[in-house]
Amino acid sequence: MDTIAADLRFAARLLWKSPAFAAVAVLTLALGIGANTAIFSVVDSVLLRPLPFRPGGEVVVLGEQKPCCDFAPTAPANLLDYQRYSGSFEQLAGINPTDCAISRRGGEPTWLQGLQVTPNYFAVFGIPAQLGRTLAAAIDRPGAPGAVVLGDAAWRRHFGADPGVVGTVVLLNGRPHTIVGVMPRRFSLLSRSELWVASPFAAPTPDSDPAGQLVSHRDDNYIRPIGRLRAGVSLEQARSELIAISRRLTQAFPVDNAKKVARLRPLRDWMVGRAGPALWMLLGAVGLILLIACANLANLLLARGTVRRREMALRASLGAGRLRLVRQLLTETVLLGMLGGALGLVLAALGVHLLTVFQPGDLPRLGEVRINPEVLLFTLAASLVAALLAGLAPALRAMRVDLGAALKEGGRGSSGGGQGLRRGLVVAEIGMSLALLIGAGLLIRSFAKLLAVSPGFEPAGVLAADLPLAQDRYPTGQQVIAWTDQLLRRVAALPGVMAAGTVDAVPFGNASTDGDIAIAGWPKPRAGEGIDAQRRIAGGDYFRAMRIPLLRGRAFDGRDTASSAPVVIVNESLARYAWPGQDPIGKRLRWEDAEPWLTVVGVVGNLHMFSLDEKPTLDTYRPLRQRPIHAFTLVVRRAGDPLALAAQLRQEVLGLDREQPIARLDLLSAKLDASLAQRRFQMLLIGSLALLALALASVGVYGVMSYAVVQRTQEIGVRLALGAPRRQVVALVLRGAMKMTALGIGAGIAGSLIFGRWVDALLYGIHSRDLVVYALGCGVLVAMALVAAYLPARRASAIDPAVSLRAE
């Protein structure tokens, strides 16, 4: 220990005597270590840290693969059959997102994001309530008084963290419910839900028959099953069992279940979604940054080691063994690593703060990101590894010091050995920088392609207001229609309003309903041959408010009432699919077997409903007056700033019903922007890392070329003395830089081609071998190398031959 302490004190004195070298070395390492620590802290929180459940079987999410989507929700009746026939689950629950207006009697309602759940939902996770109880199947069944469980945030924000809140009666969407419990904060992090209520299909138990309508009606897919596997049951075993059950359901219900195949995903994978591969890619990118920083530090140490050759030789001649010299050099680099790690932690803390501020809102658990003990251990390991990697080459060179040659050099400096190694390190830096530049370029080009996609409507200038009507105050469809008509008339009369309408599912917003439709004239669909289409309900002047183009026929108008012939509008994709080469106006289709045939009166343009990178769905629209619903979104197009309409809109709603809140107000442009947030976040982060890599590589090129000029001062002086033009000297230096750059570009291209397939999943409209991106990346690197080498080249051309020759 005394020896180690003495080595550290000696290393500290040496670094104190070379403050410029120490500052550059520590900052170089700090940038690499800080970036790695910040990204690792995110990866640790989102992907590695265990979810806060009780131990036991794995928690999984169940979905159904269909032609329209890969992991769709299921029908309530299918969930009940999965519960009944599956033996792989300890618990299998169902969830359905719901937005709730909650208020005390006589108070102003507040909008909360919630979930309808089966009572066994909480047993899946094994997290007890911090106050009261969770839902219970024996108590909270349909027909029983309504029960609601609050999240910790809603309890604190809306009930002042009152410990006596359990037992309080509140109005939930106008219906009385009793607060039976409050969940701890860590539970809300799973779904960001603020409250939970018992689902209306929760009553049937595995040994009882559900309501007949649930058995026969299996095409209304809105339930997301989530369950805990029994201890010892693997994901593959459960998946095989569910596939077998879904096949039996296909045989029993060949129309509604024909195209559905059960699938399972671990809950973490479902929560993270596309962000998982992106985070691993980011961790790999910052790993390259750290390697580039190590290469830069190694170059600095090699250059310094060359200057210190005489010192090393003198110490060796006085009795210091070669291993002792190596240990001393490694001690110096480890000290640099620790200092770089300490500064890197500061930079990482700043980086984590920026990540949590600017992160996309759909990345789960990012609020849990902290510089925790695991992250500190990672930083320590990264600092040591970086220091050892950077100091290994200089230390090995120290073992090969020629004492006689080094002592004969006297004060002249060095012989310039090791130039090939330094150039090799810069070649590696350039290759890694090019790989990052190409990755950033691919994401930028992909994002540009995505921005060029038309969503099918014009989001600018549209305000969307979610309005759930309480069923106890508006029990009949006629009451819903009357209330909605009054609201639309009032809103249309507001200053600046150009058009207003309603829809049950706004693009990039709340989820829509899909199901099979029947086409008149087509044979009854056999298994797997039905048409899966989106079912939407629109009212007022919805299409004009959204500026969805009307391609044929007409929009809904006053002719479409509850007593008139039922009509439907389809989108262009469905029209071409169902009636290729025919005029779809006057054709008929049907949503459900028990419902009337619907006559097509119009064809509208296609929409990107969920994201711009998914192809448009097959869409059908029915008029609100013929299919009234209680929950819808009011869309209003206004000239100028639509947010200026928000206060007036609230007044008009409250003027019709003092207990009716506007659940949420959003700009459609903001919804579209939010759908791109994750891709934008990835692009900006990788782009920033690529710029950092480029800067570090340019420093490496500059350092090597500067050192080469110093080492070749006598040679350059001789060339100039013999009449070589100064521009020839500039070209000589630049040519050396271009050789390194060419080798680095070759290595970078090879690496990008090898690992490009990992990037393909994150791209849209291009592939990972896009020639434009590769060409631009190479061009940027060549320009960087020329700029970095130009200053040393100019310095070389300004050498005075007489001075350089006298110095030798």
Side-chain angles (χ1 to χ4, degrees):
M1 292 297 294
D2 291 339
T3 304
I4 295 175
D7 286 346
L8 285 173
R9 286 194 297 270
F10 183 71
R13 286 197 299 270
L14 287 176
L15 294 178
W16 183 258
K17 292 178 180 178
S18 304
F21 164 79
V24 172
V26 169
L27 182 60
T28 299
L29 275 180
L31 289 172
I33 293 170
N36 275 266
T37 301
I39 298 301
F40 177 78
S41 64
V42 176
V43 171
D44 177 60
S45 294
V46 176
L47 300 179
L48 301 180
R49 195 179 306 161
L51 294 170
F53 310 146
R54 67 172 173 84
E58 185 171 11
V59 178
V60 297
V61 178
L62 189 152
E64 290 179 332
Q65 184 177 12
K66 303 193 298 181
C68 68
C69 41
D70 188 54
F71 201 71
T74 189
N78 280 1
L79 169 62
L80 295 171
D81 281 331
Y82 289 134
Q83 290 175 328
R84 177 184 291 112
Y85 299 120
S86 174
S88 298
F89 291 91
E90 179 183 317
Q91 296 286 345
L92 183 59
I95 64 175
N96 177 39
T98 183
D99 294 327
C100 304
I102 187 171
S103 64
R104 302 196 187 198
R105 292 191 181 276
E108 185 175 343
T110 301
W111 182 257
L112 295 180
Q113 182 178 351
L115 283 178
Q116 286 183 334
V117 300
T118 54
N120 65 333
Y121 171 74
F122 298 95
V124 171
F125 305 103
I127 300 177
Q130 63 177 324
L131 290 176
R133 64 172 177 87
T134 60
L135 300 177
I139 305 172
D140 305 308
R141 56 176 61 225
V148 59
V149 177
L150 293 178
D152 181 80
W155 173 57
R156 295 180 184 277
R157 186 167 61 249
H158 302 294
F159 294 90
D162 178 11
V165 72
V166 175
T168 301
V169 176
V170 295
L171 296 178
L172 206 63
N173 290 341
R175 293 183 173 181
H177 283 67
T178 301
I179 298 175
V180 298
V182 178
M183 297 303 293
R185 178 178 177 273
R186 61 192 175 107
F187 187 78
S188 298
L189 292 173
L190 301 174
S191 63
R192 300 176 184 169
S193 297
E194 298 175 285
L195 60 81
W196 298 266
V197 294
S199 177
F201 60 85
T205 58
D207 57 351
S208 66
D209 291 327
Q213 61 179 1
L214 290 182
V215 173
S216 60
H217 182 64
R218 295 175 178 263
D219 200 31
D220 200 4
N221 306 298
Y222 61 90
I223 300 301
R224 174 67 68 187
I226 182 169
R228 176 184 287 273
L229 299 180
R230 294 187 185 277
V233 175
S234 69
L235 194 65
E236 285 303 319
Q237 289 173 321
R239 186 177 287 128
S240 299
E241 182 189 52
L242 288 174
I243 289 175
I245 294 172
S246 65
R247 286 174 178 166
R248 292 205 299 271
L249 293 177
T250 295
Q251 295 173 357
F253 308 97
V255 176
D256 288 346
N257 272 63
K259 298 172 290 183
K260 299 176 182 178
V261 178
R263 301 191 64 189
L264 274 185
R265 289 181 186 171
L267 177 62
R268 186 196 300 275
D269 292 350
W270 181 68
M271 290 171 60
V272 172
R274 292 180 178 178
L279 286 176
W280 287 117
M281 185 186 73
L282 285 173
L283 192 60
V286 293
L288 290 181
I289 293 291
L290 185 57
L291 289 177
I292 293 172
C294 289
N296 256 351
L297 180 58
N299 254 326
L300 286 171
L301 292 171
L302 282 169
R304 190 165 183 261
T306 305
V307 174
R308 295 175 63 189
R309 276 165 54 86
R310 187 169 181 270
E311 173 201 336
M312 294 293 107
L314 185 59
R315 294 177 63 191
S317 66
L318 293 176
R322 294 181 186 271
L323 290 179
R324 175 70 179 83
L325 297 178
V326 169
R327 190 182 73 191
Q328 181 59 51
L329 290 174
L330 289 179
T331 302
E332 292 178 26
T333 57
V334 167
L335 181 58
L336 287 172
M338 293 300 100
L339 293 172
L343 180 57
L345 271 178
V346 176
L347 297 177
L350 177 61
V352 166
H353 174 71
L354 293 175
L355 286 172
T356 53
V357 169
F358 295 105
Q359 59 95 13
D362 56 351
L363 191 60
R365 305 185 76 190
L366 205 59
E368 300 178 56
V369 176
R370 299 288 186 274
I371 305 295
N372 55 32
E374 291 82 3
V375 174
L376 288 174
L377 185 63
F378 172 83
T379 303
L380 176 63
S383 302
L384 288 174
V385 170
L388 292 175
L389 283 176
L392 190 59
L396 291 176
R397 279 190 54 78
M399 294 184 66
R400 300 196 300 270
V401 173
D402 185 338
L403 299 183
L407 291 172
K408 287 178 184 178
E409 288 176 5
R412 292 184 297 134
S414 67
S415 60
Q419 188 73 358
L421 179 57
R422 289 193 291 274
R423 290 177 181 270
L425 288 171
V426 172
V427 167
E429 288 183 51
I430 292 173
M432 290 184 284
S433 299
L434 179 60
L436 283 175
L437 275 176
I438 289 174
L442 289 171
L443 290 178
I444 292 171
R445 188 161 162 78
S446 170
F447 192 72
K449 290 272 188 182
L450 201 60
L451 289 179
V453 175
S454 170
F457 63 97
E458 189 175 315
V462 177
L463 190 65
D466 293 340
L467 290 166
L469 297 182
Q471 293 188 16
D472 63 334
R473 295 201 306 277
Y474 305 95
T476 68
Q478 286 303 315
Q479 289 174 306
V480 171
I481 294 169
W483 192 91
T484 309
D485 284 345
Q486 290 184 67
L487 177 64
L488 288 173
R489 282 195 297 270
R490 289 188 176 209
V491 172
L494 293 176
V497 172
M498 304 169 68
T502 64
V503 70
D504 61 332
V506 72
F508 306 103
N510 43 318
S512 64
T513 302
D514 70 280
D516 282 346
I517 60 172
I519 305 296
W522 282 37
K524 188 173 180 62
R526 294 177 297 177
E529 293 184 351
I531 300 177
D532 189 71
Q534 296 292 315
R535 301 172 177 179
R536 299 185 192 129
I537 300 169
D541 211 353
Y542 169 71
F543 298 106
R544 194 161 69 89
M546 295 285 288
R547 290 189 177 167
I548 301 172
L550 180 65
L551 305 179
R552 297 185 67 84
R554 65 173 178 87
F556 299 136
D557 55 31
R559 289 171 284 181
D560 306 313
T561 65
S563 58
S564 63
V567 296
V568 67
I569 290 176
V570 300
N571 72 336
E572 185 179 12
S573 292
L574 179 56
R576 288 181 177 176
Y577 182 83
W579 304 285
Q582 303 177 50
D583 184 0
I585 304 301
K587 303 295 186 183
R588 295 190 304 159
L589 60 85
R590 186 161 61 188
W591 273 10
E592 306 285 353
D593 288 342
E595 293 186 351
W597 288 96
L598 312 172
T599 302
V600 177
V601 296
V603 178
V604 296
N606 296 328
L607 285 184
H608 286 273
M609 188 67 185
F610 307 108
S611 64
L612 292 178
D613 57 353
E614 294 181 359
K615 66 179 182 179
T617 52
L618 305 179
D619 301 336
T620 61
Y621 301 86
R622 292 189 63 180
L624 179 68
R625 289 177 176 174
Q626 294 185 349
R627 186 70 178 261
I629 52 175
H630 283 84
F632 55 83
T633 300
L634 173 70
V635 291
V636 184
R637 178 170 295 279
R638 181 183 186 273
D641 181 13
L643 281 177
L645 195 66
Q648 294 172 292
L649 205 59
R650 292 184 188 276
Q651 290 176 3
E652 296 299 337
V653 171
L654 293 176
L656 287 173
D657 185 344
R658 295 299 303 175
E659 296 184 12
Q660 175 61 51
I662 290 181
R664 186 182 295 110
L665 271 173
D666 285 306
L667 293 173
L668 272 193
S669 56
K671 288 181 177 289
L672 175 58
D673 190 64
S675 74
L676 300 171
Q678 197 174 104
R679 286 184 177 271
R680 183 185 296 107
F681 181 72
Q682 296 164 8
M683 176 189 69
L684 293 177
L685 204 52
I686 291 291
S688 301
L689 294 175
L691 290 177
L692 177 58
L694 192 64
L696 290 174
S698 65
V699 170
V701 172
Y702 173 81
V704 166
M705 299 315 299
S706 294
Y707 191 78
V709 167
V710 172
Q711 295 299 312
R712 300 176 66 181
T713 299
Q714 182 184 17
E715 174 197 341
I716 293 171
V718 171
R719 287 175 180 270
L720 292 172
L722 294 176
R726 295 190 181 274
R727 65 175 180 275
Q728 190 179 83
V729 174
V730 173
L732 177 68
V733 177
L734 293 181
R735 189 160 53 246
M738 288 302 100
K739 287 181 180 178
M740 289 190 300
T741 304
L743 291 173
I745 285 175
I749 289 176
S752 297
L753 291 174
I754 292 172
F755 296 104
R757 62 191 182 91
W758 299 102
V759 184
D760 274 322
L762 304 175
L763 302 178
Y764 172 81
I766 62 171
H767 53 76
S768 59
R769 295 175 176 171
D770 189 88
L771 293 179
V772 174
V773 173
Y774 275 70
L776 286 175
C778 293
V780 169
L781 263 179
V782 169
M784 176 276 298
L786 286 173
V787 171
Y790 182 69
L791 288 177
R794 283 291 303 272
R795 194 181 309 124
S797 68
I799 290 175
D800 186 338
V803 174
S804 64
L805 292 176
R806 275 199 304 270
E808 293 297 326

